[in-house]
Amino acid sequence: MNGTASKKTRLSERGKKPTTYRRLVTENVNGNSVVQSDEQMQTYKFKTVPGYEHTLVWVNPSTPDLREVQRFDRYPESVVPGPGGTSLHFVTFPPSSVFAEPSFDGEAARREALIRLRGLADHFEKEDPGMHKTNTVDYAIVFDGEMWLELDDAKTIHLKKGDVVVQNGTRHAWRNKSNAPVTMLFFLNGAKE
């Protein structure tokens, strides 16, 4: 990858401040509910895929024990939860045209995804990038924009803002066929092995 981005991508980034999401976490102290933390979470912007952003809001790797204080203070070994666990993500997908740019380096993007999306990116199929299947029930909500859900046999379903997909551990990919970024909210629930 030679590091150049298309003029369209450069212009869309100019003057744009980093995306953040507010995360408020509560806990019980002496029988009373209180705020444990209230903070702005910085979005991770992929260096190898212009416009691709990921924010891991929370993760419970397994069934949480609410008798103990719940914390998320370090990046997990996997963003995909195990049985009984959950994870919550905001993801902004760039238009598919980004992947067609002559400067796009698929191998560099794969390496970065394996670091940032641990436990998920290793499920992406090499022969059909983006297609994957995890042992989770996912609630996917189109937060902003329009997205296309691809299933087996290249079957695609067009989704609009506010649409919700319940993904029951099936093989799928998210495709942004529009000319603008699309933000989605994902809530993953780990299933039994």
Side-chain angles (χ1 to χ4, degrees):
M1 182 169 168
N2 63 16
T4 60
S6 71
K7 183 176 182 181
K8 185 176 188 179
T9 302
R10 281 194 311 267
L11 291 175
S12 67
E13 292 294 320
R14 190 177 303 154
K16 182 179 174 187
K17 65 181 187 176
T19 305
T20 61
Y21 295 99
R22 181 181 180 196
R23 180 182 70 191
L24 187 118
V25 179
T26 64
E27 67 177 312
N28 288 302
V29 175
N30 300 323
N32 292 312
S33 56
V34 298
V35 172
Q36 177 193 96
S37 64
D38 184 351
E39 61 189 323
Q40 293 294 320
M41 300 192 63
Q42 189 71 36
T43 294
Y44 177 83
K45 294 177 180 258
F46 279 74
K47 295 163 187 60
T48 57
V49 184
Y52 187 28
E53 300 176 355
H54 175 254
T55 306
L56 180 58
V57 178
W58 194 265
V59 65
N60 287 313
S62 59
T63 304
D65 181 351
L66 295 179
R67 295 172 295 182
E68 298 178 13
V69 174
Q70 301 300 302
R71 299 224 183 267
F72 174 45
D73 47 13
R74 66 178 180 82
Y75 209 76
E77 291 300 313
S78 176
V79 299
V80 177
T86 60
S87 62
L88 181 63
H89 312 249
F90 275 104
V91 180
T92 298
F93 296 90
S96 296
S97 60
V98 165
F99 302 100
E101 290 282 334
S103 62
F104 177 72
D105 183 341
E107 180 56 26
R110 185 187 75 77
R111 285 191 307 269
E112 185 176 16
L114 285 169
I115 294 168
R116 178 62 190 186
L117 303 175
R118 294 186 284 214
L120 175 62
D122 49 319
H123 290 277
F124 292 161
E125 299 175 5
K126 287 184 180 181
E127 59 281 349
D128 193 355
M131 287 298 279
H132 62 286
K133 178 180 176 182
T134 57
N135 194 34
T136 57
V137 174
D138 307 343
Y139 305 112
I141 304 159
V142 180
F143 190 72
D144 187 37
E146 297 183 30
M147 183 59 85
W148 284 257
L149 170 64
E150 182 178 328
L151 300 173
D152 284 335
D153 300 322
K155 168 79 174 154
T156 59
I157 299 100
H158 181 216
L159 304 166
K160 295 181 180 180
K161 182 177 180 175
D163 288 348
V164 178
V165 175
V166 179
Q167 188 75 294
N168 286 304
T170 57
R171 182 176 176 267
H172 67 284
W174 301 101
R175 310 288 191 198
N176 180 359
K177 298 179 181 182
S178 71
N179 292 322
V182 175
T183 300
M184 295 185 66
L185 178 63
F186 293 92
F187 182 71
L188 283 60
N189 296 278
K192 290 182 180 180
E193 298 294 324

